[in-house]
Coordinates of all heavy atoms in Angstrom, one line a residue:
M1058 N -10.1 47.2 -89.2 CA -8.8 47.3 -88.8 C -8.1 45.9 -88.6 O -7.0 45.8 -89.0 CB -8.7 48.1 -87.4 CG -7.3 48.4 -87.0 SD -7.2 49.3 -85.5 CE -7.6 51.0 -86.1
A1059 N -8.9 45.0 -88.1 CA -8.4 43.6 -88.0 C -8.0 43.0 -89.4 O -7.0 42.3 -89.5 CB -9.4 42.7 -87.3
I1060 N -8.8 43.3 -90.3 CA -8.5 42.9 -91.7 C -7.2 43.5 -92.2 O -6.4 42.8 -92.8 CB -9.7 43.1 -92.7 CG1 -10.9 42.3 -92.2 CG2 -9.3 42.8 -94.1 CD1 -12.2 42.7 -92.9
E1061 N -7.1 44.8 -92.1 CA -5.9 45.4 -92.6 C -4.6 45.0 -91.9 O -3.6 44.9 -92.5 CB -6.1 47.0 -92.5 CG -7.2 47.5 -93.3 CD -7.5 49.0 -93.0 OE1 -6.8 49.6 -92.2 OE2 -8.5 49.5 -93.6
L1062 N -4.7 44.8 -90.6 CA -3.5 44.5 -89.8 C -3.2 43.1 -89.6 O -2.1 42.7 -89.2 CB -3.6 45.2 -88.4 CG -3.7 46.7 -88.4 CD1 -3.9 47.3 -87.0 CD2 -2.5 47.3 -89.1
G1063 N -4.1 42.2 -90.0 CA -3.9 40.7 -89.9 C -2.7 40.2 -90.6 O -2.0 39.4 -90.1
K1064 N -2.4 40.8 -91.8 CA -1.3 40.3 -92.6 C 0.0 40.6 -91.9 O 1.1 40.0 -92.2 CB -1.3 41.0 -94.0 CG -1.2 42.5 -94.0 CD -1.4 43.0 -95.4 CE -1.6 44.5 -95.4 NZ -2.0 45.0 -96.7
F1065 N 0.0 41.5 -90.9 CA 1.2 41.8 -90.1 C 1.2 41.0 -88.8 O 2.0 41.3 -87.8 CB 1.3 43.2 -89.8 CG 1.4 44.1 -91.0 CD1 0.3 44.9 -91.4 CD2 2.5 44.1 -91.9 CE1 0.3 45.7 -92.6 CE2 2.5 44.8 -93.0 CZ 1.4 45.6 -93.4
S1066 N 0.3 40.1 -88.6 CA 0.1 39.3 -87.4 C -0.3 40.2 -86.2 O 0.0 39.8 -85.1 CB 1.3 38.4 -87.0 OG 1.5 37.5 -88.1
I1067 N -1.0 41.3 -86.5 CA -1.4 42.2 -85.4 C -2.9 41.9 -85.2 O -3.7 41.9 -86.1 CB -1.2 43.6 -85.8 CG1 0.2 44.0 -86.0 CG2 -1.9 44.6 -84.8 CD1 0.5 45.3 -86.5
R1068 N -3.2 41.5 -83.9 CA -4.6 41.2 -83.6 C -5.3 42.4 -83.1 O -4.7 43.2 -82.3 CB -4.6 40.1 -82.5 CG -4.0 38.8 -83.0 CD -3.8 37.8 -82.0 NE -2.6 38.1 -81.2 CZ -2.5 38.0 -79.9 NH1 -3.5 37.6 -79.2 NH2 -1.4 38.4 -79.3
V1069 N -6.5 42.6 -83.5 CA -7.3 43.8 -83.0 C -8.6 43.3 -82.4 O -9.4 42.6 -83.1 CB -7.6 44.7 -84.2 CG1 -8.5 45.9 -83.8 CG2 -6.3 45.1 -84.9
N1070 N -8.8 43.6 -81.2 CA -10.0 43.2 -80.5 C -10.5 44.4 -79.6 O -9.7 45.3 -79.3 CB -9.8 42.0 -79.6 CG -9.5 40.8 -80.4 OD1 -10.4 40.2 -81.1 ND2 -8.3 40.3 -80.4
T1071 N -11.7 44.4 -79.2 CA -12.3 45.4 -78.4 C -13.0 44.8 -77.2 O -13.6 43.8 -77.3 CB -13.4 46.2 -79.2 OG1 -12.8 46.7 -80.4 CG2 -14.0 47.3 -78.4
I1072 N -12.9 45.6 -76.1 CA -13.6 45.2 -74.9 C -14.6 46.2 -74.6 O -14.3 47.4 -74.4 CB -12.6 45.0 -73.7 CG1 -11.6 43.9 -73.9 CG2 -13.4 44.7 -72.4 CD1 -10.5 43.8 -72.9
A1073 N -15.9 45.8 -74.6 CA -17.0 46.7 -74.3 C -17.4 46.4 -72.8 O -18.1 45.4 -72.5 CB -18.2 46.4 -75.2
A1074 N -16.9 47.2 -71.9 CA -17.0 47.0 -70.5 C -18.3 47.7 -70.0 O -18.7 48.7 -70.4 CB -15.8 47.6 -69.8
G1075 N -19.0 47.0 -69.1 CA -20.1 47.5 -68.4 C -19.7 48.4 -67.3 O -18.6 49.0 -67.3
L1076 N -20.5 48.5 -66.3 CA -20.2 49.4 -65.1 C -19.3 48.6 -64.1 O -19.8 47.5 -63.7 CB -21.5 49.9 -64.5 CG -21.4 51.0 -63.5 CD1 -20.6 52.2 -64.1 CD2 -22.7 51.4 -63.0
F1077 N -18.2 49.1 -63.8 CA -17.3 48.5 -62.9 C -17.0 49.3 -61.7 O -17.0 50.6 -61.8 CB -15.9 48.2 -63.6 CG -16.0 47.0 -64.5 CD1 -16.6 47.0 -65.7 CD2 -15.5 45.7 -64.1 CE1 -16.6 45.9 -66.6 CE2 -15.5 44.6 -64.9 CZ -16.1 44.7 -66.1
K1078 N -16.7 48.7 -60.6 CA -16.3 49.5 -59.4 C -14.9 49.9 -59.6 O -14.0 49.1 -59.9 CB -16.5 48.6 -58.1 CG -17.9 48.2 -57.8 CD -18.0 47.4 -56.5 CE -19.4 47.2 -56.1 NZ -19.6 46.4 -54.9
S1079 N -14.7 51.2 -59.4 CA -13.3 51.7 -59.6 C -13.2 53.1 -58.8 O -14.3 53.5 -58.3 CB -13.0 51.9 -61.1 OG -13.8 53.0 -61.6
E1080 N -12.1 53.7 -58.9 CA -12.0 55.0 -58.3 C -12.9 56.0 -58.9 O -13.5 56.9 -58.2 CB -10.5 55.5 -58.4 CG -9.6 54.7 -57.5 CD -8.1 55.2 -57.6 OE1 -7.9 56.4 -58.1 OE2 -7.2 54.5 -57.3
I1081 N -13.1 55.9 -60.2 CA -13.9 56.8 -60.9 C -15.4 56.7 -60.6 O -16.1 57.6 -60.5 CB -13.8 56.6 -62.5 CG1 -12.3 57.0 -62.9 CG2 -14.8 57.4 -63.3 CD1 -12.0 56.6 -64.3
T1082 N -15.8 55.4 -60.3 CA -17.3 55.2 -60.0 C -17.6 55.0 -58.5 O -18.7 54.7 -58.2 CB -17.7 53.9 -60.7 OG1 -17.0 52.8 -60.3 CG2 -17.6 54.0 -62.2
E1083 N -16.6 55.2 -57.6 CA -16.9 55.0 -56.2 C -18.0 55.9 -55.7 O -18.7 55.4 -54.8 CB -15.6 55.2 -55.4 CG -15.0 56.6 -55.3 CD -13.7 56.6 -54.5 OE1 -13.5 55.7 -53.7 OE2 -12.9 57.5 -54.8
G1084 N -18.2 57.1 -56.2 CA -19.2 57.9 -55.7 C -20.6 57.4 -56.1 O -21.5 57.4 -55.2
L1085 N -20.7 56.8 -57.2 CA -21.9 56.2 -57.7 C -22.3 54.9 -56.9 O -23.4 54.7 -56.4 CB -21.8 55.8 -59.2 CG -23.0 55.2 -59.8 CD1 -24.2 56.2 -59.8 CD2 -22.7 54.8 -61.3
F1086 N -21.2 54.1 -56.6 CA -21.4 52.9 -55.9 C -21.7 53.1 -54.4 O -22.1 52.2 -53.7 CB -20.3 51.9 -56.1 CG -20.4 51.2 -57.4 CD1 -19.5 51.6 -58.5 CD2 -21.3 50.3 -57.7 CE1 -19.5 51.0 -59.7 CE2 -21.4 49.7 -58.9 CZ -20.5 50.0 -59.9
A1087 N -21.4 54.3 -53.9 CA -21.7 54.6 -52.5 C -23.2 54.8 -52.3 O -23.6 54.8 -51.1 CB -20.9 55.9 -52.1
K1088 N -23.9 55.0 -53.3 CA -25.4 55.1 -53.2 C -26.0 53.8 -52.9 O -25.8 52.8 -53.5 CB -25.9 55.7 -54.5 CG -25.3 57.1 -54.8 CD -26.0 57.8 -55.8 CE -25.4 59.1 -56.2 NZ -24.9 60.0 -55.2
A1089 N -26.9 53.7 -51.9 CA -27.5 52.5 -51.4 C -28.3 51.8 -52.5 O -28.3 50.5 -52.6 CB -28.3 52.7 -50.2
W1090 N -28.9 52.5 -53.4 CA -29.8 51.9 -54.4 C -29.1 51.2 -55.5 O -29.7 50.3 -56.2 CB -30.7 52.9 -55.0 CG -30.1 54.2 -55.5 CD1 -29.8 55.3 -54.9 CD2 -29.5 54.3 -56.8 NE1 -29.2 56.2 -55.7 CE2 -29.0 55.6 -56.9 CE3 -29.5 53.5 -58.0 CZ2 -28.4 56.1 -58.1 CZ3 -28.9 54.0 -59.1 CH2 -28.4 55.3 -59.2
M1091 N -27.8 51.4 -55.6 CA -27.0 50.8 -56.7 C -27.0 49.2 -56.6 O -27.0 48.5 -57.5 CB -25.6 51.3 -56.8 CG -25.5 52.6 -57.5 SD -26.0 52.6 -59.2 CE -24.7 51.6 -60.0
H1092 N -26.9 48.7 -55.3 CA -26.9 47.3 -55.1 C -28.3 46.7 -55.6 O -28.3 45.6 -56.3 CB -26.7 46.9 -53.7 CG -26.7 45.5 -53.4 ND1 -25.7 44.6 -53.8 CD2 -27.6 44.7 -52.7 CE1 -26.0 43.4 -53.5 NE2 -27.1 43.4 -52.8
K1093 N -29.4 47.4 -55.4 CA -30.7 46.9 -55.8 C -30.8 46.9 -57.3 O -31.4 46.0 -57.9 CB -31.8 47.8 -55.2 CG -31.9 47.6 -53.7 CD -33.0 48.5 -53.1 CE -33.1 48.3 -51.6 NZ -34.0 49.2 -51.0
V1094 N -30.2 47.9 -57.9 CA -30.2 48.0 -59.4 C -29.5 46.8 -60.0 O -30.0 46.2 -60.9 CB -29.6 49.3 -59.9 CG1 -29.4 49.3 -61.4 CG2 -30.4 50.5 -59.5
A1095 N -28.3 46.4 -59.5 CA -27.6 45.3 -60.0 C -28.4 44.0 -59.8 O -28.4 43.2 -60.7 CB -26.3 45.2 -59.3
Q1096 N -29.1 43.8 -58.7 CA -29.9 42.6 -58.5 C -31.0 42.5 -59.5 O -31.4 41.4 -59.8 CB -30.4 42.6 -57.0 CG -29.4 42.3 -56.0 CD -29.9 42.3 -54.6 OE1 -30.8 43.1 -54.3 NE2 -29.4 41.4 -53.8
K1097 N -31.6 43.6 -59.9 CA -32.7 43.6 -60.9 C -32.2 43.6 -62.3 O -32.9 42.9 -63.1 CB -33.5 44.8 -60.7 CG -34.3 44.9 -59.3 CD -35.5 44.0 -59.4 CE -36.3 44.2 -58.2 NZ -37.5 43.5 -58.2
L1098 N -31.1 44.2 -62.7 CA -30.8 44.4 -64.1 C -29.6 43.6 -64.6 O -29.5 43.4 -65.8 CB -30.4 45.9 -64.3 CG -31.5 46.9 -64.0 CD1 -30.9 48.3 -64.3 CD2 -32.7 46.6 -64.8
V1099 N -28.8 43.1 -63.7 CA -27.6 42.3 -64.1 C -27.9 40.8 -63.8 O -28.0 40.5 -62.6 CB -26.4 42.8 -63.4 CG1 -25.1 42.0 -63.9 CG2 -26.2 44.3 -63.7
P1100 N -27.9 39.9 -64.8 CA -28.1 38.5 -64.5 C -27.2 37.9 -63.5 O -27.6 37.1 -62.7 CB -28.0 37.9 -65.9 CG -28.4 38.9 -66.8 CD -27.9 40.2 -66.2
L1101 N -25.9 38.4 -63.4 CA -25.0 37.9 -62.4 C -25.3 38.5 -61.0 O -24.6 38.2 -60.0 CB -23.6 38.0 -62.8 CG -23.2 37.1 -64.0 CD1 -21.7 37.4 -64.3 CD2 -23.4 35.7 -63.6
Q1102 N -26.2 39.5 -61.0 CA -26.7 40.2 -59.7 C -25.6 40.9 -59.0 O -25.6 41.0 -57.7 CB -27.4 39.2 -58.9 CG -28.7 38.7 -59.5 CD -29.5 37.9 -58.6 OE1 -29.1 37.5 -57.5 NE2 -30.7 37.6 -59.0
R1103 N -24.6 41.4 -59.7 CA -23.5 42.2 -59.1 C -22.9 43.1 -60.1 O -23.0 42.8 -61.3 CB -22.5 41.3 -58.4 CG -21.7 40.4 -59.4 CD -20.6 39.7 -58.7 NE -19.8 38.9 -59.6 CZ -18.7 39.3 -60.2 NH1 -18.3 40.6 -60.1 NH2 -18.1 38.5 -61.0
W1104 N -22.2 44.1 -59.7 CA -21.4 44.9 -60.6 C -20.0 44.3 -60.7 O -19.5 43.5 -59.9 CB -21.3 46.3 -60.1 CG -22.6 47.0 -60.0 CD1 -23.3 47.4 -58.9 CD2 -23.5 47.3 -61.1 NE1 -24.5 48.0 -59.2 CE2 -24.7 48.0 -60.5 CE3 -23.4 47.2 -62.5 CZ2 -25.7 48.4 -61.3 CZ3 -24.5 47.7 -63.2 CH2 -25.6 48.3 -62.7
G1105 N -19.3 44.7 -61.8 CA -18.0 44.1 -62.0 C -16.9 44.8 -61.2 O -17.1 45.9 -60.7
H1106 N -15.8 44.0 -61.0 CA -14.7 44.5 -60.3 C -13.5 44.5 -61.4 O -13.4 43.5 -62.1 CB -14.3 43.6 -59.2 CG -15.3 43.6 -58.1 ND1 -15.3 44.5 -57.1 CD2 -16.3 42.8 -57.9 CE1 -16.3 44.2 -56.3 NE2 -16.9 43.2 -56.7
V1107 N -12.8 45.6 -61.5 CA -11.8 45.7 -62.5 C -10.9 44.5 -62.4 O -10.5 43.9 -63.5 CB -11.0 47.0 -62.4 CG1 -9.8 47.0 -63.3 CG2 -12.0 48.2 -62.6
N1108 N -10.4 44.1 -61.2 CA -9.6 43.0 -61.1 C -10.3 42.0 -60.2 O -10.7 42.3 -59.1 CB -8.3 43.4 -60.4 CG -7.2 42.3 -60.4 OD1 -7.3 41.4 -61.2 ND2 -6.3 42.4 -59.5
P1109 N -10.6 40.8 -60.7 CA -10.1 40.2 -62.0 C -11.1 40.2 -63.1 O -10.8 39.7 -64.2 CB -9.9 38.7 -61.5 CG -11.1 38.4 -60.6 CD -11.3 39.8 -59.9
D1110 N -12.3 40.7 -63.0 CA -13.3 40.6 -64.0 C -12.9 41.1 -65.4 O -13.2 40.5 -66.4 CB -14.6 41.2 -63.6 CG -15.3 40.6 -62.4 OD1 -15.1 39.4 -62.2 OD2 -15.9 41.3 -61.6
L1111 N -12.2 42.2 -65.3 CA -11.7 42.8 -66.6 C -10.3 42.5 -66.9 O -10.0 42.2 -68.1 CB -12.0 44.4 -66.5 CG -12.0 45.2 -67.8 CD1 -13.0 44.6 -68.8 CD2 -12.3 46.6 -67.5
T1112 N -9.5 42.6 -65.9 CA -8.0 42.4 -66.2 C -7.7 41.0 -66.7 O -6.8 40.8 -67.5 CB -7.2 42.7 -64.9 OG1 -7.6 41.9 -63.9 CG2 -7.3 44.2 -64.5
S1113 N -8.4 40.0 -66.2 CA -8.2 38.6 -66.7 C -8.4 38.5 -68.2 O -7.6 37.8 -68.9 CB -9.0 37.6 -66.0 OG -10.4 37.9 -66.1
L1114 N -9.4 39.2 -68.7 CA -9.6 39.2 -70.2 C -8.5 40.0 -70.9 O -8.0 39.5 -72.0 CB -11.0 39.8 -70.5 CG -11.3 39.9 -72.0 CD1 -11.2 38.5 -72.7 CD2 -12.6 40.6 -72.2
V1115 N -8.1 41.1 -70.4 CA -7.0 41.9 -71.0 C -5.7 41.0 -71.0 O -5.1 41.0 -72.1 CB -6.8 43.2 -70.2 CG1 -5.5 43.9 -70.7 CG2 -8.0 44.1 -70.3
V1116 N -5.4 40.4 -70.0 CA -4.2 39.5 -69.9 C -4.3 38.4 -70.9 O -3.3 38.1 -71.7 CB -4.0 39.0 -68.5 CG1 -2.9 37.9 -68.5 CG2 -3.6 40.1 -67.6
F1117 N -5.4 37.8 -71.1 CA -5.6 36.7 -72.0 C -5.5 37.2 -73.4 O -4.8 36.6 -74.3 CB -7.0 36.1 -71.9 CG -7.4 35.2 -73.0 CD1 -6.8 33.9 -73.1 CD2 -8.4 35.5 -73.9 CE1 -7.1 33.1 -74.2 CE2 -8.7 34.7 -74.9 CZ -8.1 33.4 -75.1
L1118 N -6.1 38.4 -73.8 CA -6.0 38.9 -75.1 C -4.6 39.3 -75.5 O -4.2 39.3 -76.7 CB -7.0 40.0 -75.3 CG -8.5 39.6 -75.3 CD1 -9.4 40.8 -75.4 CD2 -8.8 38.7 -76.5
A1119 N -3.8 39.7 -74.5 CA -2.4 40.2 -74.8 C -1.5 39.0 -74.8 O -0.3 39.2 -75.3 CB -2.0 41.1 -73.7
S1120 N -1.9 37.8 -74.4 CA -1.1 36.7 -74.4 C -1.1 35.9 -75.7 O -2.0 36.1 -76.6 CB -1.5 35.7 -73.3 OG -2.6 35.0 -73.6
N1121 N -0.2 35.0 -75.9 CA -0.1 34.1 -77.1 C -1.2 33.1 -77.1 O -1.5 32.5 -78.1 CB 1.2 33.4 -77.2 CG 2.3 34.3 -77.6 OD1 2.1 35.3 -78.3 ND2 3.6 34.0 -77.2
S1122 N -1.9 32.9 -75.9 CA -3.1 32.0 -75.9 C -4.2 32.5 -76.8 O -5.1 31.7 -77.1 CB -3.6 31.9 -74.4 OG -2.6 31.3 -73.6
S1123 N -4.2 33.7 -77.1 CA -5.3 34.3 -78.0 C -4.7 34.6 -79.4 O -5.3 35.5 -80.1 CB -5.9 35.5 -77.3 OG -4.9 36.6 -77.3
S1124 N -3.7 33.9 -79.8 CA -3.0 34.2 -81.1 C -3.9 34.1 -82.3 O -3.6 34.6 -83.4 CB -1.8 33.4 -81.2 OG -2.1 32.0 -81.3
Y1125 N -5.0 33.4 -82.2 CA -5.9 33.2 -83.3 C -7.3 33.9 -83.2 O -8.3 33.6 -83.8 CB -6.2 31.7 -83.5 CG -6.7 31.3 -84.9 CD1 -6.0 31.6 -86.0 CD2 -8.0 30.7 -85.1 CE1 -6.4 31.2 -87.3 CE2 -8.4 30.4 -86.3 CZ -7.7 30.6 -87.4 OH -8.1 30.3 -88.7
I1126 N -7.3 34.9 -82.3 CA -8.4 35.7 -82.0 C -8.2 37.1 -82.5 O -7.3 37.8 -82.0 CB -8.8 35.7 -80.5 CG1 -9.1 34.2 -80.0 CG2 -10.0 36.6 -80.2 CD1 -9.2 34.1 -78.5
T1127 N -9.0 37.6 -83.4 CA -9.0 38.9 -83.9 C -10.3 39.4 -84.4 O -11.1 38.5 -84.8 CB -7.9 39.1 -84.9 OG1 -7.6 40.5 -85.1 CG2 -8.2 38.5 -86.2
G1128 N -10.6 40.7 -84.4 CA -11.8 41.2 -85.0 C -13.0 41.0 -84.1 O -14.1 41.0 -84.6
N1129 N -12.8 40.8 -82.8 CA -14.0 40.6 -82.0 C -14.3 41.7 -80.9 O -13.4 42.5 -80.6 CB -13.7 39.3 -81.1 CG -13.8 38.0 -82.0 OD1 -14.8 37.6 -82.4 ND2 -12.6 37.5 -82.4
I1130 N -15.5 41.7 -80.5 CA -15.9 42.6 -79.4 C -16.3 41.7 -78.3 O -17.2 40.9 -78.4 CB -17.1 43.5 -79.9 CG1 -16.8 44.3 -81.1 CG2 -17.6 44.4 -78.7 CD1 -17.9 45.1 -81.7
F1131 N -15.6 41.9 -77.2 CA -15.9 41.1 -76.0 C -16.7 42.0 -75.0 O -16.2 43.0 -74.5 CB -14.6 40.7 -75.3 CG -13.8 39.7 -76.1 CD1 -12.9 40.1 -77.1 CD2 -14.0 38.3 -76.0 CE1 -12.2 39.2 -77.9 CE2 -13.3 37.4 -76.7 CZ -12.4 37.8 -77.7
I1132 N -17.9 41.6 -74.8 CA -18.8 42.3 -73.9 C -18.6 41.8 -72.4 O -18.8 40.6 -72.2 CB -20.3 42.2 -74.3 CG1 -20.4 42.8 -75.7 CG2 -21.2 43.0 -73.3 CD1 -21.8 42.5 -76.3
V1133 N -18.2 42.6 -71.5 CA -18.0 42.2 -70.2 C -18.9 43.1 -69.3 O -18.5 44.2 -68.8 CB -16.5 42.4 -69.8 CG1 -16.2 41.9 -68.3 CG2 -15.6 41.7 -70.8
D1134 N -20.1 42.6 -69.0 CA -21.1 43.4 -68.3 C -22.0 42.5 -67.4 O -23.1 43.0 -67.0 CB -21.9 44.2 -69.3 CG -22.8 43.4 -70.2 OD1 -22.8 42.1 -70.1 OD2 -23.6 44.0 -70.9
G1135 N -21.6 41.3 -67.1 CA -22.4 40.5 -66.2 C -23.7 40.1 -66.8 O -24.6 39.6 -66.1
G1136 N -23.9 40.2 -68.1 CA -25.1 39.8 -68.8 C -26.1 41.0 -69.0 O -27.1 40.8 -69.6
Y1137 N -25.7 42.2 -68.6 CA -26.6 43.3 -68.7 C -27.1 43.6 -70.1 O -28.3 44.0 -70.3 CB -25.9 44.6 -68.1 CG -26.7 45.8 -68.3 CD1 -27.8 46.1 -67.3 CD2 -26.5 46.8 -69.2 CE1 -28.5 47.2 -67.4 CE2 -27.2 47.9 -69.3 CZ -28.2 48.1 -68.4 OH -29.0 49.3 -68.5
S1138 N -26.3 43.3 -71.1 CA -26.7 43.7 -72.4 C -27.3 42.5 -73.2 O -27.5 42.6 -74.4 CB -25.5 44.2 -73.2 OG -24.5 43.1 -73.3
I1139 N -27.7 41.4 -72.5 CA -28.4 40.3 -73.2 C -29.6 40.8 -73.9 O -30.5 41.5 -73.3 CB -28.7 39.2 -72.2 CG1 -27.5 38.6 -71.6 CG2 -29.6 38.1 -72.8 CD1 -27.8 37.6 -70.5
P1140 N -29.7 40.5 -75.2 CA -30.9 41.0 -75.9 C -32.2 40.4 -75.3 O -32.3 39.3 -75.0 CB -30.7 40.4 -77.3 CG -29.3 40.2 -77.5 CD -28.8 39.8 -76.1
G1141 N -33.2 41.3 -75.2 CA -34.5 40.9 -74.7 C -34.6 41.0 -73.2 O -35.7 40.7 -72.7
L1142 N -33.5 41.3 -72.5 CA -33.6 41.3 -71.1 C -34.4 42.5 -70.7 O -34.2 43.7 -71.0 CB -32.2 41.5 -70.5 CG -32.0 41.5 -69.0 CD1 -32.3 40.1 -68.5 CD2 -30.6 41.9 -68.6
P1143 N -35.6 42.3 -69.9 CA -36.4 43.4 -69.5 C -35.7 44.2 -68.4 O -35.5 43.6 -67.3 CB -37.7 42.7 -69.0 CG -37.2 41.4 -68.6 CD -36.0 41.0 -69.5
F1144 N -35.3 45.4 -68.7 CA -34.6 46.1 -67.7 C -35.4 47.2 -67.0 O -35.9 47.0 -65.9 CB -33.3 46.6 -68.1 CG -33.2 47.3 -69.4 CD1 -33.4 48.7 -69.5 CD2 -33.0 46.6 -70.6 CE1 -33.3 49.3 -70.7 CE2 -32.9 47.3 -71.8 CZ -33.1 48.6 -71.9
W1145 N -35.6 48.4 -67.5 CA -36.2 49.5 -66.8 C -37.5 49.1 -66.2 O -37.8 49.6 -65.1 CB -36.3 50.7 -67.6 CG -34.9 51.1 -68.1 CD1 -34.5 51.2 -69.4 CD2 -33.8 51.6 -67.3 NE1 -33.2 51.6 -69.5 CE2 -32.7 51.8 -68.2 CE3 -33.6 51.7 -65.9 CZ2 -31.5 52.3 -67.7 CZ3 -32.4 52.1 -65.5 CH2 -31.3 52.4 -66.4
S1146 N -38.3 48.4 -66.8 CA -39.6 48.0 -66.3 C -39.5 47.1 -65.0 O -40.5 47.0 -64.3 CB -40.5 47.4 -67.3 OG -39.9 46.1 -67.7
S1147 N -38.4 46.5 -64.8 CA -38.3 45.6 -63.7 C -37.7 46.2 -62.4 O -37.6 45.6 -61.4 CB -37.3 44.4 -64.1 OG -36.0 44.9 -64.3
L1148 N -37.5 47.5 -62.5 CA -37.0 48.2 -61.3 C -38.2 48.5 -60.4 O -38.2 48.5 -59.3 CB -36.4 49.6 -61.7 CG -35.0 49.5 -62.3 CD1 -34.5 50.9 -62.7 CD2 -34.0 48.9 -61.4

């Protein structure tokens, strides 16, 4: 899509978001064990907050500051998806 739309100066990027605290996930985050999971599985040892962890990237990508960025996938998950990170066995 980025290749096809680039000639029209349309930038195409994707945000692959991890687990964020929000209205949708508040029931999940109410569970006491979720904090322990973040400490073990997420290198930053916390879950994301929509604002500013996610919204700051959205604002940047929508701005002219990112005018030469297209065709990318931005992973925003506190490092959870780092290749080789031992996860389930570390719980």
Side-chain angles (χ1 to χ4, degrees):
M1058 188 178 279
I1060 294 170
E1061 295 171 4
L1062 298 175
K1064 61 186 169 193
F1065 302 109
S1066 296
I1067 297 173
R1068 296 171 282 140
V1069 178
N1070 294 291
T1071 301
I1072 298 174
L1076 193 55
F1077 281 79
K1078 291 183 178 182
S1079 69
E1080 290 179 19
I1081 295 172
T1082 61
E1083 67 184 333
L1085 181 62
F1086 284 107
K1088 302 193 183 314
W1090 54 267
M1091 280 299 288
H1092 180 68
K1093 291 178 184 177
V1094 170
Q1096 287 181 324
K1097 293 279 189 179
L1098 302 182
V1099 181
L1101 291 181
Q1102 297 187 349
R1103 66 175 181 87
W1104 297 113
H1106 296 274
V1107 173
N1108 190 18
D1110 296 331
L1111 198 54
T1112 55
S1113 59
L1114 177 59
V1115 171
V1116 169
F1117 170 71
L1118 290 174
S1120 74
N1121 286 333
S1122 295
S1123 67
S1124 65
Y1125 199 60
I1126 298 173
T1127 193
N1129 289 283
I1130 300 169
F1131 293 88
I1132 301 171
V1133 184
D1134 67 357
Y1137 176 77
S1138 62
I1139 293 174
L1142 186 69
F1144 48 89
W1145 298 116
S1146 63
S1147 64
L1148 288 176

